[in-house]
Amino acid sequence: MAGNGKRPGASMTALGPLTVVSNRLPVVMRPRGGSWKVEPGAGGLVAAMQPILERQGGCWVGWPGVVEEDGRGWAEGLQRAGERAGYALEPVTMNRAQYKGYYEGFSNSVIWPLFHGFADRCSFEASDFEQYRSVNQRFAEATMRCVGGEGLVWVHDYQLFEVGQRLRELGHKGRLAHFLHISFPGMENYAKLPWRRELLRALLAYDLVGFQTARDVRNFVRCAETFGVGGVLRHEGGQALLVAEDGRRVEAGAFPIGMDFEAFSERAASAEVEERVRALQDEIGAYRMFLGIDRLDYTKGLIHRLRAFELMLERHPHLREQVVFFQLVVPSRENVSEYRSLKREFDRVVGRINGRFSTSGWQPIRYLYNRVNPVELAALYRLAVVALVTPLRDGMNLVAKEYCACQVDENGALVLSEFAGAAAQLGEGAVLVNPYDRVASADAMARAVQMDEARRRTRMRAMRRIIATSDVYRWAERFLERATEGPQPGEGFATPAQISVVGQQVGPISPQL
């Protein structure tokens, strides 16, 4: 909770050393004038894991952000960074071709679109899957250098599904856990993956598999059953117990990730942010501000959101010259042609809407294509009367939670996609929308910006309470406690009768599956 001066995640003294495995290390190597500079990483995962590793000790395994063709001049700086941090930083190296196949190829041209419901955007190249497997092997070997044959290993996200399976093949005997930060698709969508059984087997190599929502757990359980690689022993709400092909019992559960509520709330209440809020209001004018903050990505529903805002101005003309929509677009994958095309389409739609509705003293949409510092971000969150968080699919979406954390005056409203994982926690306080329903989304925007103050405060206060009591540190603590518990006595392996359920596909599925 804010104001207690203590991070919950840092108090976990009962746990031993931990090995964290993620695609990127918590530091970034940057070339500077012929040498390398170590810069701290950012994001919720870094915020959650660093206090634990600083207290418990251990190792963080990940890619340092450079390929083998860049040489090894960065290694000494990385080692010093690990010494300062108090835990080891173990780099995973790869060449440019491996990076392209593993990361740009299979991870972001297959898993990312497929798991977000965009199978038509997938590029199913067998060579990319082989590179993915090869790089996962490298991650496993680097992890073994840190952890040896024992100790808890916590693997993160879709780039590293196979690390646990590879660790078992290398002889690791300790507990293995995986957390998927994105959503897990429904069976009908997952079925389109040519390597569907291989990835399910990889996930069932862990002792604990964590997901964002109960819906993701249901989808995973259904896929494991359908494709005959896991039997279900128990499934209640967001928790399930499965049996893998080797007889091991595997737990699956919903562990919705949080954010650093205390840090965001305290920054938003600071004098520096207060001053920036006043300056921003002067720049924007005396309008009520809608706010969108998104990475440039087709899953975020940016074009759908613009068109819904346009329709709101059509259907509710009294809001013209009363509101302004500010959209911050964070650059992403600028070297990918598909993302450049999305940026051009976004520019075109913004220009068309502004050209249609602008007056001599008012422009309905303003947007910035850039990154902003934490003070600017907090000021935008505080100034916004309504935040528009309307992805077409999202595992969680921490922007929704950051906005609420920064609403220290409890005077804002959140319009939230029902397809964001955050809707499962914040649905009663937010204005939920189907982003594909343009009319309903437009009317929801109008309803949110015109909501009376008492109702806004009641709903925002409820959401802030939920976020404060389930922040990123409590998320990490809850997950690690479950990961270290292990099966109850006599429950480590299934009986022969239970094992017999594995390998039997359950219907209904189409004949070709």
Side-chain angles (χ1 to χ4, degrees), residues 113-367:
L114 185 70
F115 280 39
H116 286 86
F118 295 91
D120 59 318
R121 294 177 179 266
C122 292
S123 176
F124 296 112
E125 297 291 339
S127 59
D128 287 342
F129 183 54
E130 289 307 311
Q131 292 285 26
Y132 179 87
R133 307 191 95 173
S134 172
V135 171
N136 271 245
Q137 178 70 26
R138 285 184 169 234
F139 272 86
E141 291 168 356
T143 302
M144 287 295 283
R145 291 196 293 269
C146 281
V147 75
E150 302 290 341
L152 173 64
V153 177
W154 186 359
V155 182
H156 288 267
D157 225 1
Y158 63 99
Q159 302 95 343
L160 303 174
F161 282 150
E162 291 202 341
V163 169
Q165 186 178 50
R166 305 288 178 164
L167 284 170
R168 294 206 184 277
E169 292 168 356
L170 291 170
H172 182 69
K173 304 299 183 184
R175 295 275 293 172
L176 301 176
H178 186 283
F179 184 78
L180 181 63
H181 291 256
I182 65 175
S183 56
F184 194 91
M187 190 273 290
E188 293 80 3
N189 208 30
Y190 185 80
K192 298 167 185 173
L193 180 66
W195 307 279
R196 57 203 180 203
R197 288 185 176 86
E198 288 88 337
L199 290 192
L200 286 169
R201 288 191 181 102
L203 281 171
L204 288 167
Y206 295 94
D207 297 291
L208 173 65
V209 186
F211 300 92
Q212 296 280 18
T213 68
R215 177 188 60 202
D216 297 319
V217 176
R218 288 196 301 271
N219 289 344
F220 173 67
V221 168
R222 175 64 171 152
C223 288
E225 279 190 303
T226 298
F227 298 115
V229 298
V232 181
L233 305 179
R234 183 178 70 247
H235 182 199
E236 299 174 4
Q239 303 296 319
L241 184 65
L242 300 92
V243 56
E245 290 170 314
D246 62 0
R248 286 181 309 100
R249 292 190 175 197
V250 180
E251 293 183 276
F255 300 86
I257 194 171
M259 40 72 65
D260 193 341
F261 178 88
E262 181 179 336
F264 274 83
S265 185
E266 290 181 353
R267 184 182 299 121
S270 69
E272 186 178 13
V273 169
E274 293 265 12
E275 182 179 352
R276 185 58 188 143
V277 169
R278 290 190 292 270
L280 279 172
Q281 188 72 77
D282 290 342
E283 293 173 22
I284 290 172
Y287 304 112
R288 286 170 286 174
M289 189 177 84
F290 289 89
L291 176 67
I293 296 180
D294 302 89
R295 187 170 53 83
L296 182 67
D297 194 278
Y298 52 80
T299 66
K300 301 303 182 182
L302 291 168
I303 304 301
H304 295 71
R305 186 183 306 161
L306 289 174
R307 290 173 176 159
F309 181 77
E310 177 183 25
L311 186 59
M312 184 200 74
L313 296 178
E314 287 180 15
R315 291 170 60 85
H316 305 274
H318 61 282
L319 292 176
R320 299 176 193 176
E321 299 188 83
Q322 298 298 313
V323 302
V324 65
F325 174 25
F326 184 90
Q327 174 69 54
L328 173 64
V329 180
V330 179
S332 173
R333 300 172 189 165
E334 295 174 280
N335 59 328
V336 179
S337 61
E338 191 172 25
Y339 286 75
R340 292 197 298 268
S341 296
L342 176 60
K343 171 68 164 52
R344 288 193 296 269
E345 175 69 1
F346 185 86
D347 291 345
R348 185 188 67 78
V349 176
V350 169
R352 180 179 59 75
I353 295 171
N354 278 341
R356 180 182 176 192
F357 291 103
S358 291
T359 64
S360 59
W362 173 71
Q363 180 175 292
I365 301 176
R366 304 185 184 190
Y367 94 93

